[in-house]
Amino acid sequence: MNLRTLRYFVAIADAGGFTAAAAALSIAQSALTRQLRDLESELGVQLLQRGPRGVRLTQEGATLYESAQRMLAESARVRQLLTNGDATAESTVVLGVSPTLTRVLLPGVFERCHHGLAGIRLVVREAFTPQLLESLERGLIDMAVVTNPEPNRALAHQPLLAEPFALITPSDRNMPPVVPLAALAKVPLLMTRLHRGIVERTLAPLGTRLNIQAEIDSVDAIRELVLQGRWATVMPVSVFKEQRMDTVRLSEVSGVQLHRMLMLATRIERAQNSAIAVVADVVRAEAGKLAAAGVFSFGSAPASTRTYTMAA
């Protein structure tokens, strides 16, 4: 077992199949299949379950995946330390962040990179998830923090955390802290197209429809309209957390699990860029710190941790 084999294994899991991983790594699919078969034989366990829609990690595969990520990140970090001797060399890493996370996640990430990473210049681009994924595939950005990315792209997706959606209403409406799903359907809402899609896909099997008054693809505009006291929205809890909380109320919706998955997306490459790997570690650390502080959960208590495994 070596770093190259581990990198191939992680690429297959991230891409959800051998074909996409082979294309991203620019190697023959037969060679990739042979590498995975040899790795499973060496370890004596099955790492992936093959299916018509791609591959899925077994329990043993999920364990190795987490360890392989740490080993590859540490390898990249060591390379970064060894190449930092050239003070004139500077690596630029372009990070894409969705509008709901820019205010929450970016300040800590920027400070960590600016003060703690010599030789790395961080550039940030803000856009919604579809645009971020397209920019990532085109090589315009190096990584992105995205929401519920669509599957079957030749990109690596590392889970960061799950964040619940809240019904956000002006405080003078006296909305209770927990509202039933039937009550949600009656509230006139302003929503972004992305959030509307995530919520409506969850509600569709239950036969519930949202009362959408307008679709506005601007998180800041919706937030301002809600804060003015005449409108309501459904958004991730962090968007309104600790911001003029005397004017709005965050209510949890009962009877359904409304949440989004935040993922760190990168390209699958033959040789991982060490600077990208180091910044990815910073993003994961900052997201973990904020989650522990309760930023991505209801109430002020720290959020409970949840474990997610990669799937096709």
Side-chain angles (χ1 to χ4, degrees):
M1 184 169 56
N2 54 50
L3 290 176
R4 183 180 65 177
T5 304
L6 291 177
R7 187 174 293 112
Y8 288 170
F9 164 67
V10 168
I12 297 168
D14 285 336
F18 288 86
T19 303
L25 294 167
S26 300
I27 66 172
Q29 184 174 338
S30 58
L32 196 59
T33 302
R34 184 172 61 254
Q35 290 279 348
L36 193 280
R37 185 174 59 246
D38 291 344
L39 180 60
E40 289 181 321
S41 177
E42 179 183 351
L43 297 176
V45 296
Q46 182 181 357
L47 300 173
L48 299 171
Q49 291 178 342
R50 284 76 164 174
R53 294 187 177 182
V55 299
R56 183 182 297 271
L57 288 169
T58 64
Q59 183 176 353
E60 293 80 6
T63 299
L64 178 61
Y65 179 88
E66 294 176 0
S67 298
Q69 289 280 26
R70 289 194 296 269
M71 286 186 275
L72 292 172
E74 181 62 23
S75 172
R77 189 180 300 108
V78 170
R79 287 198 300 270
Q80 179 69 25
L81 290 173
L82 293 176
T83 57
N84 260 350
D86 184 2
T88 63
E90 183 178 66
S91 297
T92 298
V93 176
V94 184
L95 169 66
V97 184
S98 64
T100 55
L101 290 169
T102 305
R103 179 182 61 85
V104 177
L105 184 65
L106 182 59
V109 169
F110 176 80
E111 291 295 342
R112 285 171 180 250
C113 291
H114 184 71
H115 295 294
L117 300 181
I120 296 179
R121 185 172 71 95
L122 181 66
V123 176
V124 179
R125 300 284 183 260
E126 181 183 281
F128 285 103
T129 289
Q131 290 74 34
L132 290 176
L133 293 174
E134 181 181 353
S135 296
L136 190 56
E137 288 183 322
R138 293 173 58 191
L140 301 179
I141 61 177
D142 298 305
M143 68 177 69
V145 182
V146 295
T147 300
N148 292 40
E150 61 187 75
N152 302 322
R153 287 178 178 262
L155 298 172
H157 295 132
Q158 302 175 30
L160 292 176
L161 55 93
E163 179 182 11
F165 281 88
L167 169 63
I168 296 112
T169 56
S171 57
D172 58 9
R173 294 191 187 182
N174 296 317
M175 195 70 68
V178 179
V179 299
L181 183 57
L184 172 65
K186 299 177 182 179
V187 180
L189 299 172
L190 306 178
M191 292 190 71
T192 69
R193 178 172 47 181
L194 178 64
H195 294 150
R196 179 182 183 178
I198 294 172
V199 173
E200 287 188 334
R201 283 193 294 272
T202 304
L203 298 181
L206 303 176
T208 301
R209 298 179 62 87
L210 297 174
N211 182 8
I212 304 295
Q213 296 297 298
E215 193 175 86
I216 304 174
D217 274 347
S218 170
V219 173
D220 289 338
I222 293 178
R223 183 167 51 221
E224 187 58 33
L225 286 166
V226 173
L227 290 173
Q228 288 176 5
R230 292 192 298 173
W231 294 98
T233 188
V234 174
M235 277 196 186
V237 296
S238 62
V239 178
F240 282 82
K241 208 71 177 287
E242 299 177 359
Q243 183 178 17
R244 291 167 62 180
M245 295 305 296
D246 58 323
T247 62
V248 296
R249 180 166 295 179
L250 276 61
S251 301
E252 186 175 0
V253 181
S254 63
V256 65
Q257 289 188 342
L258 296 180
H259 69 272
R260 65 172 177 174
M261 277 300 303
L262 299 182
M263 314 281 279
L264 180 61
T266 55
R267 288 187 300 278
I268 303 173
E269 299 176 350
R270 179 180 299 182
Q272 188 178 29
N273 183 298
S274 59
I276 294 175
V278 171
V279 174
D281 281 347
V282 171
V283 173
R284 285 190 290 267
E286 183 65 18
K289 185 192 79 172
L290 293 173
V295 173
F296 298 108
S297 61
F298 286 99
S300 57
S304 59
T305 57
R306 299 176 63 181
T307 302
Y308 295 86
T309 57
M310 294 299 299

